[in-house]
Amino acid sequence: MLKVMYRKEESNKRDAFLENLETVKLDSIEISVQFQKITISVKSKDVSPFILIDESLEYQQKTNGCEVFFKNGTKADESESNYISLFYNDFQTIISNRMKKRKLIPIMKIELNFIDKRIPNSEWKNRKMAEELISIMREIKYVLRNREIPLSVNIFEIQATNENQILSILPFLDPSTIQDIIISAPTAYPYPDVDMNEIVKLEQWKNAKNISALLLTNTKVANFTHVKSGTVYLQFISIEHLEAALQDLLLSPKFKMVHLKLRKNNGVELLTSLVGPPDCRSKWIIRGSKKTNGVVVEVKHDEIVITRRSQSGFVKGRPLLSLNSV
């Protein structure tokens, strides 16, 4: 795939660190991308034998290649290859060490650090980073896709600006071990409108117990009815979308709480049209027609919170005005 050329006299520290990871049970792996810089951070607290690791390798692009530094700033290596090539080589080494057995990495996180637009030359640097990010995500995808056994992860967290970045990783994680999926926007790139049509079809998505889509998306609340806890950001919500969401959630046997984050919150108006006036202070109690299921809907400053309640709490609950079959 990518050929990496080392200067042997500088490679010992980095090689030794990677060798130490071969038999260690990792608690987390984080990949952080900045302008012409990538950092791999790993943490481990292995009790048998006792090993404590909280270290990182930072790959910095230079004029004639790249340099690698540990967390404390000590140089670990230098190479005539570019920083993406060296990162790919080491990421492949770390992940390959978990090839032979189904070794779990509880937390996997991808962070994108775009530059604040108020900083000089930020536009050019962010555009360059976005171009190089395509190559970085392609290399991550290549490593994960070519594993014989899908990588086992409990919590997958990613900052993304488009669906392809998420699809470079999520489909290649073990769907049987995924519990939490957290998708958010980079700090300096606050409102990407991300298409999630393919993501919600994945087994990893369908198996997750908790999902937070902390960025603007076109997905529907129906794609969160299988989770215990969910959060989704929406530009706005129509009366038809909210009614369908309430119907889906009333029918769901799994969900406990869903947060609908809205840039324009017209929840009070919509719920009054669907159910009638609130029971108390922007809070509605809604039940299904058989009185065996129900939800409490509360409108807050920038969100609508829908929570399941027990049967005993729905003696005075009201059905949706148009809901007759739930």
Side-chain angles (χ1 to χ4, degrees):
M1 185 64 178
L2 292 174
K3 185 177 180 181
V4 181
M5 298 169 288
Y6 299 104
R7 296 175 183 173
K8 293 183 179 180
E9 66 274 12
E10 293 289 342
S11 65
N12 292 336
K13 294 179 182 179
R14 183 178 133 273
D15 288 346
F17 171 68
L18 294 172
E19 288 176 7
N20 287 337
L21 295 182
E22 289 185 7
T23 58
V24 171
K25 177 182 176 182
L26 293 182
D27 295 323
S28 68
I29 180 168
E30 179 178 338
I31 298 171
S32 178
V33 182
Q34 297 174 259
F35 175 68
Q36 296 194 331
K37 183 190 300 183
I38 307 175
T39 304
I40 300 179
S41 301
V42 293
K43 292 183 179 180
S44 174
K45 190 176 181 181
D46 204 336
V47 296
S48 181
F50 182 76
I51 298 174
L52 181 62
I53 296 176
D54 184 357
E55 188 57 274
S56 64
L57 291 174
E58 182 178 273
Y59 308 80
Q60 298 182 10
Q61 183 64 36
K62 302 298 180 180
T63 304
N64 298 316
C66 83
E67 295 179 344
V68 186
F69 296 89
F70 286 119
K71 188 175 183 177
N72 63 4
T74 302
K75 183 185 286 190
D77 200 357
E78 61 180 334
S79 169
E80 296 174 0
S81 300
N82 66 45
Y83 77 113
I84 299 176
S85 301
L86 201 59
F87 156 77
Y88 160 78
N89 186 81
D90 289 357
F91 180 65
Q92 185 179 48
T93 298
I94 294 171
I95 297 302
S96 294
N97 289 336
R98 277 134 190 87
M99 182 78 79
K100 297 179 181 179
K101 297 181 180 179
R102 191 178 294 272
K103 293 184 179 180
L104 174 71
I105 301 178
I107 301 173
M108 184 175 189
K109 182 176 180 180
I110 310 294
E111 186 177 68
L112 307 181
N113 296 288
F114 285 90
I115 302 171
D116 192 297
K117 295 180 179 179
R118 293 170 294 183
I119 297 176
N121 298 322
S122 63
E123 184 176 351
W124 174 82
K125 290 182 177 180
N126 284 339
R127 186 168 60 249
K128 179 70 172 176
M129 177 177 159
E131 292 172 356
E132 295 183 343
L133 191 55
I134 296 174
S135 298
I136 294 168
M137 300 307 291
R138 183 173 61 242
E139 303 309 333
I140 294 174
K141 178 179 179 179
Y142 180 84
V143 172
L144 295 176
R145 186 182 59 192
N146 284 278
R147 283 176 54 87
E148 295 177 4
I149 301 173
L151 186 65
S152 297
V153 172
N154 287 152
I155 301 173
F156 173 59
E157 183 174 351
I158 184 171
Q159 291 182 336
T161 61
N162 60 60
E163 187 177 35
N164 285 336
Q165 293 165 358
I166 303 167
L167 291 174
S168 296
I169 301 175
L170 187 56
F172 309 106
L173 304 181
D174 188 345
S176 68
T177 62
I178 285 284
Q179 295 181 7
D180 293 21
I181 297 174
I182 304 167
I183 304 171
S184 62
T187 303
Y189 202 126
Y191 295 115
D193 194 350
V194 176
D195 185 348
M196 298 182 67
N197 291 336
E198 297 303 317
I199 295 171
V200 298
K201 298 176 184 178
L202 298 173
E203 287 302 310
Q204 290 81 356
W205 179 278
K206 295 176 182 179
N207 286 356
K209 296 180 180 179
N210 305 290
I211 298 178
S212 296
L214 307 176
L215 38 61
L216 290 177
T217 175
N218 64 347
T219 192
K220 296 186 179 300
V221 179
N223 293 315
F224 289 79
T225 56
H226 67 287
V227 303
K228 289 184 177 180
S229 176
T231 302
V232 58
Y233 271 66
L234 302 169
Q235 190 85 343
F236 69 96
I237 190 167
S238 66
I239 190 168
E240 294 82 9
H241 187 178
L242 180 57
E243 182 179 16
L246 290 170
Q247 290 180 0
D248 290 334
L249 293 171
L250 282 167
L251 289 168
S252 170
K254 295 183 179 181
F255 114 94
K256 291 185 178 180
M257 180 178 291
V258 171
H259 294 254
L260 308 181
K261 297 282 188 178
L262 303 168
R263 292 191 70 182
K264 180 182 179 181
N265 193 351
N266 55 344
V268 172
E269 176 186 342
L270 297 181
L271 285 161
T272 300
S273 298
L274 286 173
V275 186
D279 292 282
C280 63
R281 292 189 179 183
S282 300
K283 185 180 292 187
W284 288 257
I285 301 174
I286 305 173
R287 59 170 170 78
S289 59
K290 296 180 181 180
K291 300 183 181 180
T292 57
N293 55 353
V295 295
V296 174
V297 186
E298 185 175 3
V299 178
K300 298 183 179 181
H301 172 66
D302 63 345
E303 66 177 350
I304 299 174
V305 182
I306 307 172
T307 308
R308 180 182 296 283
R309 285 293 185 264
S310 63
Q311 180 182 352
S312 60
F314 284 89
V315 176
K316 298 180 181 180
R318 296 170 292 176
L320 290 171
L321 297 181
S322 61
L323 187 60
N324 298 312
S325 59
V326 174

